[in-house]
Amino acid sequence: LELDVVSLWAFQPEQEDPVELARFCAPNLPAEGPSATQQGLLKVALRGDAVVALESVRGLGSDALVQALELGAYAALPLMDERRVVLGALVVGRLEPVTDAATMEVALRTGANRFASALELRAAREQGRARGLVDAVTGLPNRLLFNDRLDTNIREAHRTGECFAVMFVDLDR
């Protein structure tokens, strides 16, 4: 894929507005783009609708990003989990129109699905860590967290050839 700008946005826990997680811009383009509130394409994607304009669209877009970068092709795709809840958006653009728009659209949708899966997995891990690795009553790390850290240390010791020890103290006999 030859893209001149790629911007990945996601909702963060306890924040109303999305956060830009990553941005790539070709060297001849400005590194900073319009804010999330100025980007109409981003707003549409965050509502769950896709916007794909890969043919010659120069001068036709009313979006701040499209106008600022004078894009000839662009797409904004929602990143949704398996329940179709919007987790974020992928916004991409090219200075020149795309010659094989159908192939590019399939590639972009595949990429968006991969990003959505990664965001969903990250959210599940964070939620699972918060709930599943601590004791519900005391808030202290539980046996599951201990076993996870022990397993990590065992694998690291095997890989590096180092030794380590585990000291067990039984406080309640």
Side-chain angles (χ1 to χ4, degrees):
L1 294 176
E2 293 181 29
L3 298 170
D4 295 306
V5 62
V6 177
S7 182
L8 180 64
W9 295 79
F11 289 108
Q12 299 295 322
E14 301 174 9
Q15 289 186 357
E16 195 170 312
D17 294 326
V19 174
E20 189 173 35
L21 298 180
R23 171 186 281 272
F24 162 79
C25 280
N28 58 333
L29 295 176
E32 290 295 319
S35 69
T37 57
Q38 296 173 315
Q39 294 185 40
L41 292 176
L42 177 62
K43 290 178 185 178
V44 170
L46 291 173
R47 283 195 313 256
D49 297 319
V51 177
V52 180
L54 300 174
E55 264 58 74
S56 182
V57 295
R58 192 174 308 281
L60 298 177
S62 61
D63 181 72
L65 181 68
V66 174
Q67 289 179 345
L69 301 180
E70 298 179 5
L71 297 177
Y74 55 84
L77 302 168
L79 305 176
M80 294 190 243
D81 65 9
E82 62 185 18
R83 296 175 313 227
R84 308 288 294 160
V85 173
V86 177
L87 304 172
L90 175 65
V91 179
V92 300
R94 279 180 50 125
L95 296 175
E96 298 301 321
V98 175
T99 54
D100 188 0
T103 302
M104 177 68 94
E105 184 172 352
V106 169
L108 290 174
R109 288 185 186 277
T110 301
N113 289 335
R114 296 288 300 240
F115 283 128
S117 295
L119 288 174
E120 187 175 14
L121 181 60
R122 184 181 74 169
R125 282 183 178 161
E126 288 173 4
Q127 185 180 25
R129 277 194 193 107
R131 292 184 184 160
L133 300 178
V134 295
D135 181 77
V137 176
T138 65
L140 297 172
N142 65 13
R143 185 176 296 155
L144 184 62
L145 180 58
F146 170 77
N147 288 337
D148 178 62
R149 298 288 163 83
L150 180 62
D151 183 53
T152 301
N153 284 323
I154 289 171
R155 280 189 270 121
E156 182 70 16
H158 280 284
R159 188 177 66 77
T160 62
E162 294 180 355
C163 296
F164 73 96
V166 176
M167 184 171 78
F168 179 73
V169 179
D170 186 3
L171 297 177
D172 63 352
R173 299 183 200 272

